[in-house]
Amino acid sequence: MFAMYLMRQKQHIFLNKRMFGLFLANDHLYPESYVEEASLYVHWPYCRKRCTFCNFNKYLEKDVNHERMRNCLVKEMQHIIEETAVKRVHSVFFGGGTPNLAEPATIEAVLKAVSDSTQLITGAEVSMETNPIGNNSAKLEDFKAAGINRVSVGVQALDDDSLQLLGREHSVEEALKTLEHAIRLFPNRTSADVIYGLPGQSLGDWSTTLSQLIPLLDDHVSVYQLTLERGTKLFKMCEEGRISPPSEDLLADMYDLTYDKLRSSGFIAYEISNFSRSLEAQSIHNKAYWHGKQYIGIGPGAHSRFVPLTPLHARKSSDKLGERVAQGMREARIQTLEPAPWMKEVESFGHGTRLRRQQTKREVLGELVAVGLRTSGGVAESRWRELGAPSLCECFVESPWLAWLFKSGLLEFSNNSLLATQSGWKVLDRIIPHLLDELERAVG
């Protein structure tokens, strides 16, 4: 999800009063619409095998205590919800790890607990990442019965040599069978994940993959550039000179090819790596992240961003829709990483929160810039103001460097939003630091 930020201790003065339907946060008021809505992320930490490219929080465990894990996920969710002013949950996402290794009863228990603790809105998106393993097809039906209504299938590659390089335990045939079955179960709500930029991959190789994949897709696909993360097997192989990543120019050509081929097949890029044929097929959960909304993370290593209640006004478990007062400053939280100590903490304290800190206005806005510019809609003026910032123009028009970015067609203002163009997307990692510098100047 997001990178872990350095912990910094600061002293703040709060006015913890409900004022005109707003929640005071330092020098900013969060509207009720912000603090009363959230998305929920549920982390299932277990995998059967370590992929060579993955540095996510995952653990190999043959004898998972499913009942204990299920009870702890439910307990932590109930505890954290009581710390918030959240009245409505719009989406739930089960990620990992390999969440389709969980029992369907775990999905059902978490969703019931959400409904019992707050309102899981009618038609809420309930998503799951799924890897093509074992009797996955039969299990998908059980997950659907438990409440899942959207899935992302980890196809990753369409030749077995590439799958072997990535450390996947499935074949191309198994991946495509899983994708086909998922589309039958979840029409218009099945996504495929695929990776480009593999060591040794040519532009022609990637073009062949896209040509094979596109006719098999539902209405959504996520296309990720391979990143060699420190601590992974592929990173070590690269350090040892056993593999070499593609050049930046080749990666840019691969992205352009992806964009063009998918667009010619009716897919629109609504985020750098995410393409859909319709608004309905887009990921509601991911859009909540990209739009800077609140999200609650439960499970080992999960991250959260939400405005907590004050201790004086923490809701009682029986007060499902009563009066609540949010503390003001949004918090960043991270749960204990390892499953065993996380479960012990949840059983002892109701939660496994390991790190929590209040975010400054600049940090909240900086995160919105970093993720919002990845989307086709960019950073909207309305959302920007909701988070307590001066206007976008006030923040981002004075620097000569930024003026050059606009003049060069990498950034633009359109529809009351700050946008990165398709050309800007390809160099966004270089643009963001300059925007953050300007943000520092504007809001301190």
mmCIF file of all heavy atoms in Angstrom, residues 264-299:
data_model
loop_
_atom_site.group_PDB
_atom_site.id
_atom_site.type_symbol
_atom_site.label_atom_id
_atom_site.label_comp_id
_atom_site.label_asym_id
_atom_site.label_seq_id
_atom_site.Cartn_x
_atom_site.Cartn_y
_atom_site.Cartn_z
ATOM 1 N N SER A 264 -7.025 0.720 -27.488
ATOM 2 C CA SER A 264 -7.657 0.274 -28.735
ATOM 3 C C SER A 264 -8.648 -0.852 -28.498
ATOM 4 O O SER A 264 -9.476 -1.147 -29.360
ATOM 5 C CB SER A 264 -6.587 -0.175 -29.735
ATOM 6 O OG SER A 264 -5.926 -1.341 -29.281
ATOM 7 N N SER A 265 -8.584 -1.468 -27.310
ATOM 8 C CA SER A 265 -9.533 -2.533 -26.951
ATOM 9 C C SER A 265 -10.598 -2.041 -25.978
ATOM 10 O O SER A 265 -11.298 -2.851 -25.364
ATOM 11 C CB SER A 265 -8.780 -3.719 -26.337
ATOM 12 O OG SER A 265 -7.882 -4.275 -27.273
ATOM 13 N N GLY A 266 -10.682 -0.726 -25.821
ATOM 14 C CA GLY A 266 -11.754 -0.161 -25.009
ATOM 15 C C GLY A 266 -11.408 0.095 -23.562
ATOM 16 O O GLY A 266 -12.283 0.479 -22.772
ATOM 17 N N PHE A 267 -10.142 -0.096 -23.183
ATOM 18 C CA PHE A 267 -9.725 0.138 -21.802
ATOM 19 C C PHE A 267 -9.193 1.563 -21.649
ATOM 20 O O PHE A 267 -8.403 2.039 -22.479
ATOM 21 C CB PHE A 267 -8.630 -0.843 -21.383
ATOM 22 C CG PHE A 267 -9.102 -2.248 -21.169
ATOM 23 C CD1 PHE A 267 -9.145 -3.154 -22.218
ATOM 24 C CD2 PHE A 267 -9.491 -2.665 -19.903
ATOM 25 C CE1 PHE A 267 -9.573 -4.458 -22.017
ATOM 26 C CE2 PHE A 267 -9.927 -3.962 -19.698
ATOM 27 C CZ PHE A 267 -9.966 -4.865 -20.749
ATOM 28 N N ILE A 268 -9.593 2.207 -20.562
ATOM 29 C CA ILE A 268 -9.120 3.551 -20.242
ATOM 30 C C ILE A 268 -8.246 3.473 -18.988
ATOM 31 O O ILE A 268 -8.603 2.806 -18.009
ATOM 32 C CB ILE A 268 -10.301 4.506 -19.993
ATOM 33 C CG1 ILE A 268 -11.181 4.580 -21.240
ATOM 34 C CG2 ILE A 268 -9.794 5.895 -19.615
ATOM 35 C CD1 ILE A 268 -10.473 5.086 -22.480
ATOM 36 N N ALA A 269 -7.122 4.172 -19.024
ATOM 37 C CA ALA A 269 -6.245 4.221 -17.848
ATOM 38 C C ALA A 269 -6.815 5.230 -16.848
ATOM 39 O O ALA A 269 -6.737 6.433 -17.066
ATOM 40 C CB ALA A 269 -4.829 4.618 -18.256
ATOM 41 N N TYR A 270 -7.411 4.733 -15.755
ATOM 42 C CA TYR A 270 -7.916 5.655 -14.741
ATOM 43 C C TYR A 270 -6.900 5.851 -13.620
ATOM 44 O O TYR A 270 -7.097 6.659 -12.716
ATOM 45 C CB TYR A 270 -9.276 5.194 -14.211
ATOM 46 C CG TYR A 270 -9.289 3.951 -13.357
ATOM 47 C CD1 TYR A 270 -9.416 4.036 -11.970
ATOM 48 C CD2 TYR A 270 -9.210 2.675 -13.921
ATOM 49 C CE1 TYR A 270 -9.457 2.905 -11.173
ATOM 50 C CE2 TYR A 270 -9.255 1.538 -13.151
ATOM 51 C CZ TYR A 270 -9.372 1.652 -11.775
ATOM 52 O OH TYR A 270 -9.401 0.515 -10.986
ATOM 53 N N GLU A 271 -5.812 5.094 -13.693
ATOM 54 C CA GLU A 271 -4.651 5.235 -12.820
ATOM 55 C C GLU A 271 -3.474 4.679 -13.594
ATOM 56 O O GLU A 271 -3.668 3.906 -14.541
ATOM 57 C CB GLU A 271 -4.883 4.489 -11.502
ATOM 58 C CG GLU A 271 -3.890 4.790 -10.398
ATOM 59 C CD GLU A 271 -2.721 3.813 -10.347
ATOM 60 O OE1 GLU A 271 -2.771 2.786 -11.063
ATOM 61 O OE2 GLU A 271 -1.776 4.063 -9.582
ATOM 62 N N ILE A 272 -2.263 5.073 -13.246
ATOM 63 C CA ILE A 272 -1.095 4.686 -14.034
ATOM 64 C C ILE A 272 -1.097 3.199 -14.377
ATOM 65 O O ILE A 272 -0.841 2.803 -15.522
ATOM 66 C CB ILE A 272 0.203 5.048 -13.285
ATOM 67 C CG1 ILE A 272 0.417 6.560 -13.286
ATOM 68 C CG2 ILE A 272 1.410 4.361 -13.921
ATOM 69 C CD1 ILE A 272 1.673 7.007 -12.560
ATOM 70 N N SER A 273 -1.401 2.354 -13.401
ATOM 71 C CA SER A 273 -1.287 0.908 -13.600
ATOM 72 C C SER A 273 -2.622 0.205 -13.750
ATOM 73 O O SER A 273 -2.653 -1.020 -13.877
ATOM 74 C CB SER A 273 -0.520 0.278 -12.417
ATOM 75 O OG SER A 273 0.780 0.814 -12.316
ATOM 76 N N ASN A 274 -3.718 0.950 -13.723
ATOM 77 C CA ASN A 274 -5.041 0.327 -13.711
ATOM 78 C C ASN A 274 -5.896 0.811 -14.869
ATOM 79 O O ASN A 274 -6.059 2.018 -15.083
ATOM 80 C CB ASN A 274 -5.736 0.623 -12.380
ATOM 81 C CG ASN A 274 -5.126 -0.163 -11.236
ATOM 82 O OD1 ASN A 274 -5.550 -1.286 -10.955
ATOM 83 N ND2 ASN A 274 -4.129 0.404 -10.585
ATOM 84 N N PHE A 275 -6.485 -0.155 -15.588
ATOM 85 C CA PHE A 275 -7.241 0.109 -16.797
ATOM 86 C C PHE A 275 -8.610 -0.563 -16.690
ATOM 87 O O PHE A 275 -8.709 -1.707 -16.228
ATOM 88 C CB PHE A 275 -6.513 -0.445 -18.024
ATOM 89 C CG PHE A 275 -5.136 0.125 -18.243
ATOM 90 C CD1 PHE A 275 -4.052 -0.298 -17.478
ATOM 91 C CD2 PHE A 275 -4.914 1.083 -19.229
ATOM 92 C CE1 PHE A 275 -2.779 0.217 -17.683
ATOM 93 C CE2 PHE A 275 -3.642 1.599 -19.443
ATOM 94 C CZ PHE A 275 -2.577 1.170 -18.672
ATOM 95 N N SER A 276 -9.647 0.150 -17.132
ATOM 96 C CA SER A 276 -10.991 -0.435 -17.084
ATOM 97 C C SER A 276 -11.767 -0.063 -18.332
ATOM 98 O O SER A 276 -11.498 0.956 -18.974
ATOM 99 C CB SER A 276 -11.743 0.047 -15.843
ATOM 100 O OG SER A 276 -12.101 1.404 -15.983
ATOM 101 N N ARG A 277 -12.756 -0.903 -18.643
ATOM 102 C CA ARG A 277 -13.638 -0.623 -19.776
ATOM 103 C C ARG A 277 -14.855 0.204 -19.359
ATOM 104 O O ARG A 277 -15.560 0.731 -20.213
ATOM 105 C CB ARG A 277 -14.116 -1.935 -20.397
ATOM 106 C CG ARG A 277 -13.102 -2.624 -21.300
ATOM 107 C CD ARG A 277 -13.788 -3.713 -22.126
ATOM 108 N NE ARG A 277 -12.891 -4.315 -23.094
ATOM 109 C CZ ARG A 277 -12.437 -5.570 -23.010
ATOM 110 N NH1 ARG A 277 -12.788 -6.326 -21.986
ATOM 111 N NH2 ARG A 277 -11.634 -6.059 -23.942
ATOM 112 N N SER A 278 -15.116 0.280 -18.061
ATOM 113 C CA SER A 278 -16.288 1.012 -17.598
ATOM 114 C C SER A 278 -16.027 1.546 -16.198
ATOM 115 O O SER A 278 -15.149 1.062 -15.476
ATOM 116 C CB SER A 278 -17.528 0.101 -17.560
ATOM 117 O OG SER A 278 -17.362 -0.912 -16.581
ATOM 118 N N LEU A 279 -16.806 2.555 -15.816
ATOM 119 C CA LEU A 279 -16.702 3.106 -14.468
ATOM 120 C C LEU A 279 -17.036 2.045 -13.428
ATOM 121 O O LEU A 279 -16.405 1.966 -12.365
ATOM 122 C CB LEU A 279 -17.648 4.304 -14.333
ATOM 123 C CG LEU A 279 -17.681 5.004 -12.970
ATOM 124 C CD1 LEU A 279 -16.325 5.636 -12.657
ATOM 125 C CD2 LEU A 279 -18.778 6.071 -12.944
ATOM 126 N N GLU A 280 -18.019 1.201 -13.743
ATOM 127 C CA GLU A 280 -18.456 0.172 -12.793
ATOM 128 C C GLU A 280 -17.367 -0.847 -12.510
ATOM 129 O O GLU A 280 -17.342 -1.469 -11.442
ATOM 130 C CB GLU A 280 -19.699 -0.536 -13.325
ATOM 131 C CG GLU A 280 -20.948 0.334 -13.421
ATOM 132 C CD GLU A 280 -20.894 1.304 -14.581
ATOM 133 O OE1 GLU A 280 -20.122 1.064 -15.544
ATOM 134 O OE2 GLU A 280 -21.614 2.311 -14.538
ATOM 135 N N ALA A 281 -16.454 -1.054 -13.459
ATOM 136 C CA ALA A 281 -15.395 -2.051 -13.289
ATOM 137 C C ALA A 281 -14.213 -1.529 -12.478
ATOM 138 O O ALA A 281 -13.359 -2.310 -12.062
ATOM 139 C CB ALA A 281 -14.901 -2.524 -14.659
ATOM 140 N N GLN A 282 -14.171 -0.225 -12.241
ATOM 141 C CA GLN A 282 -13.039 0.350 -11.512
ATOM 142 C C GLN A 282 -13.075 -0.047 -10.040
ATOM 143 O O GLN A 282 -14.128 -0.321 -9.473
ATOM 144 C CB GLN A 282 -13.054 1.875 -11.650
ATOM 145 C CG GLN A 282 -12.818 2.335 -13.071
ATOM 146 C CD GLN A 282 -12.908 3.837 -13.226
ATOM 147 O OE1 GLN A 282 -13.009 4.575 -12.247
ATOM 148 N NE2 GLN A 282 -12.871 4.301 -14.473
ATOM 149 N N SER A 283 -11.905 -0.080 -9.430
ATOM 150 C CA SER A 283 -11.784 -0.488 -8.031
ATOM 151 C C SER A 283 -12.184 0.660 -7.107
ATOM 152 O O SER A 283 -11.470 1.660 -6.997
ATOM 153 C CB SER A 283 -10.340 -0.911 -7.725
ATOM 154 O OG SER A 283 -10.158 -1.080 -6.326
ATOM 155 N N ILE A 284 -13.305 0.511 -6.435
ATOM 156 C CA ILE A 284 -13.767 1.511 -5.472
ATOM 157 C C ILE A 284 -12.779 1.627 -4.323
ATOM 158 O O ILE A 284 -12.458 2.720 -3.846
ATOM 159 C CB ILE A 284 -15.165 1.147 -4.951
ATOM 160 C CG1 ILE A 284 -16.191 1.249 -6.085
ATOM 161 C CG2 ILE A 284 -15.570 2.032 -3.782
ATOM 162 C CD1 ILE A 284 -17.562 0.728 -5.724
ATOM 163 N N HIS A 285 -12.259 0.481 -3.879
ATOM 164 C CA HIS A 285 -11.350 0.470 -2.734
ATOM 165 C C HIS A 285 -10.062 1.230 -3.042
ATOM 166 O O HIS A 285 -9.628 2.078 -2.261
ATOM 167 C CB HIS A 285 -11.029 -0.972 -2.342
ATOM 168 C CG HIS A 285 -10.253 -1.076 -1.071
ATOM 169 N ND1 HIS A 285 -10.858 -1.111 0.166
ATOM 170 C CD2 HIS A 285 -8.912 -1.137 -0.841
ATOM 171 C CE1 HIS A 285 -9.929 -1.194 1.105
ATOM 172 N NE2 HIS A 285 -8.743 -1.211 0.517
ATOM 173 N N ASN A 286 -9.448 0.942 -4.169
ATOM 174 C CA ASN A 286 -8.202 1.623 -4.507
ATOM 175 C C ASN A 286 -8.425 3.113 -4.739
ATOM 176 O O ASN A 286 -7.571 3.939 -4.395
ATOM 177 C CB ASN A 286 -7.572 0.981 -5.740
ATOM 178 C CG ASN A 286 -6.912 -0.348 -5.416
ATOM 179 O OD1 ASN A 286 -6.598 -0.630 -4.263
ATOM 180 N ND2 ASN A 286 -6.710 -1.163 -6.428
ATOM 181 N N LYS A 287 -9.566 3.470 -5.303
ATOM 182 C CA LYS A 287 -9.844 4.882 -5.524
ATOM 183 C C LYS A 287 -9.966 5.635 -4.197
ATOM 184 O O LYS A 287 -9.649 6.826 -4.125
ATOM 185 C CB LYS A 287 -11.100 5.060 -6.374
ATOM 186 C CG LYS A 287 -10.887 4.668 -7.837
ATOM 187 C CD LYS A 287 -11.931 5.266 -8.770
ATOM 188 C CE LYS A 287 -13.293 4.694 -8.547
ATOM 189 N NZ LYS A 287 -14.261 5.158 -9.582
ATOM 190 N N ALA A 288 -10.402 4.961 -3.154
ATOM 191 C CA ALA A 288 -10.452 5.603 -1.838
ATOM 192 C C ALA A 288 -9.042 5.985 -1.380
ATOM 193 O O ALA A 288 -8.822 7.068 -0.826
ATOM 194 C CB ALA A 288 -11.112 4.674 -0.823
ATOM 195 N N TYR A 289 -8.064 5.089 -1.603
ATOM 196 C CA TYR A 289 -6.673 5.433 -1.282
ATOM 197 C C TYR A 289 -6.223 6.642 -2.095
ATOM 198 O O TYR A 289 -5.651 7.602 -1.568
ATOM 199 C CB TYR A 289 -5.738 4.267 -1.622
ATOM 200 C CG TYR A 289 -5.897 3.007 -0.823
ATOM 201 C CD1 TYR A 289 -5.695 1.769 -1.424
ATOM 202 C CD2 TYR A 289 -6.222 3.023 0.530
ATOM 203 C CE1 TYR A 289 -5.807 0.588 -0.710
ATOM 204 C CE2 TYR A 289 -6.348 1.856 1.262
ATOM 205 C CZ TYR A 289 -6.138 0.627 0.633
ATOM 206 O OH TYR A 289 -6.250 -0.530 1.340
ATOM 207 N N TRP A 290 -6.440 6.577 -3.382
ATOM 208 C CA TRP A 290 -5.927 7.600 -4.299
ATOM 209 C C TRP A 290 -6.583 8.960 -4.086
ATOM 210 O O TRP A 290 -5.998 9.983 -4.430
ATOM 211 C CB TRP A 290 -6.119 7.145 -5.748
ATOM 212 C CG TRP A 290 -5.454 5.848 -6.059
ATOM 213 C CD1 TRP A 290 -4.292 5.364 -5.515
ATOM 214 C CD2 TRP A 290 -5.896 4.846 -6.987
ATOM 215 N NE1 TRP A 290 -3.990 4.130 -6.037
ATOM 216 C CE2 TRP A 290 -4.958 3.794 -6.945
ATOM 217 C CE3 TRP A 290 -6.973 4.738 -7.855
ATOM 218 C CZ2 TRP A 290 -5.075 2.652 -7.734
ATOM 219 C CZ3 TRP A 290 -7.104 3.612 -8.639
ATOM 220 C CH2 TRP A 290 -6.162 2.571 -8.575
ATOM 221 N N HIS A 291 -7.779 8.982 -3.518
ATOM 222 C CA HIS A 291 -8.480 10.237 -3.266
ATOM 223 C C HIS A 291 -8.253 10.752 -1.847
ATOM 224 O O HIS A 291 -8.883 11.732 -1.440
ATOM 225 C CB HIS A 291 -9.976 10.065 -3.522
ATOM 226 C CG HIS A 291 -10.302 9.803 -4.960
ATOM 227 N ND1 HIS A 291 -11.519 9.300 -5.373
ATOM 228 C CD2 HIS A 291 -9.575 9.961 -6.095
ATOM 229 C CE1 HIS A 291 -11.517 9.153 -6.691
ATOM 230 N NE2 HIS A 291 -10.344 9.554 -7.148
ATOM 231 N N GLY A 292 -7.375 10.085 -1.099
ATOM 232 C CA GLY A 292 -7.023 10.571 0.232
ATOM 233 C C GLY A 292 -8.070 10.337 1.293
ATOM 234 O O GLY A 292 -8.086 11.022 2.333
ATOM 235 N N LYS A 293 -8.945 9.359 1.100
ATOM 236 C CA LYS A 293 -9.991 9.088 2.082
ATOM 237 C C LYS A 293 -9.456 8.238 3.234
ATOM 238 O O LYS A 293 -8.357 7.701 3.182
ATOM 239 C CB LYS A 293 -11.170 8.384 1.400
ATOM 240 C CG LYS A 293 -11.848 9.242 0.341
ATOM 241 C CD LYS A 293 -13.045 8.523 -0.272
ATOM 242 C CE LYS A 293 -13.738 9.377 -1.319
ATOM 243 N NZ LYS A 293 -14.921 8.691 -1.915
ATOM 244 N N GLN A 294 -10.264 8.125 4.276
ATOM 245 C CA GLN A 294 -9.873 7.320 5.428
ATOM 246 C C GLN A 294 -9.862 5.831 5.070
ATOM 247 O O GLN A 294 -10.722 5.368 4.319
ATOM 248 C CB GLN A 294 -10.866 7.507 6.579
ATOM 249 C CG GLN A 294 -10.837 8.856 7.243
ATOM 250 C CD GLN A 294 -11.602 8.835 8.553
ATOM 251 O OE1 GLN A 294 -11.089 9.212 9.586
ATOM 252 N NE2 GLN A 294 -12.838 8.399 8.531
ATOM 253 N N TYR A 295 -8.912 5.103 5.632
ATOM 254 C CA TYR A 295 -8.956 3.650 5.538
ATOM 255 C C TYR A 295 -8.404 3.044 6.815
ATOM 256 O O TYR A 295 -7.523 3.590 7.473
ATOM 257 C CB TYR A 295 -8.206 3.125 4.309
ATOM 258 C CG TYR A 295 -6.738 3.487 4.222
ATOM 259 C CD1 TYR A 295 -5.758 2.629 4.721
ATOM 260 C CD2 TYR A 295 -6.336 4.669 3.610
ATOM 261 C CE1 TYR A 295 -4.407 2.943 4.616
ATOM 262 C CE2 TYR A 295 -4.992 4.991 3.494
ATOM 263 C CZ TYR A 295 -4.035 4.125 4.000
ATOM 264 O OH TYR A 295 -2.700 4.451 3.914
ATOM 265 N N ILE A 296 -8.992 1.915 7.168
ATOM 266 C CA ILE A 296 -8.628 1.181 8.383
ATOM 267 C C ILE A 296 -7.994 -0.136 7.955
ATOM 268 O O ILE A 296 -8.567 -0.866 7.140
ATOM 269 C CB ILE A 296 -9.868 0.917 9.256
ATOM 270 C CG1 ILE A 296 -10.456 2.246 9.751
ATOM 271 C CG2 ILE A 296 -9.543 0.003 10.427
ATOM 272 C CD1 ILE A 296 -11.831 2.101 10.362
ATOM 273 N N GLY A 297 -6.831 -0.439 8.495
ATOM 274 C CA GLY A 297 -6.148 -1.690 8.189
ATOM 275 C C GLY A 297 -6.103 -2.598 9.393
ATOM 276 O O GLY A 297 -5.717 -2.167 10.491
ATOM 277 N N ILE A 298 -6.495 -3.855 9.206
ATOM 278 C CA ILE A 298 -6.401 -4.838 10.288
ATOM 279 C C ILE A 298 -5.601 -6.038 9.797
ATOM 280 O O ILE A 298 -5.519 -6.301 8.602
ATOM 281 C CB ILE A 298 -7.792 -5.287 10.791
ATOM 282 C CG1 ILE A 298 -8.567 -6.007 9.671
ATOM 283 C CG2 ILE A 298 -8.580 -4.105 11.324
ATOM 284 C CD1 ILE A 298 -9.835 -6.691 10.169
ATOM 285 N N GLY A 299 -4.995 -6.737 10.741
ATOM 286 C CA GLY A 299 -4.158 -7.871 10.402
ATOM 287 C C GLY A 299 -2.687 -7.495 10.484
ATOM 288 O O GLY A 299 -2.326 -6.311 10.555
#
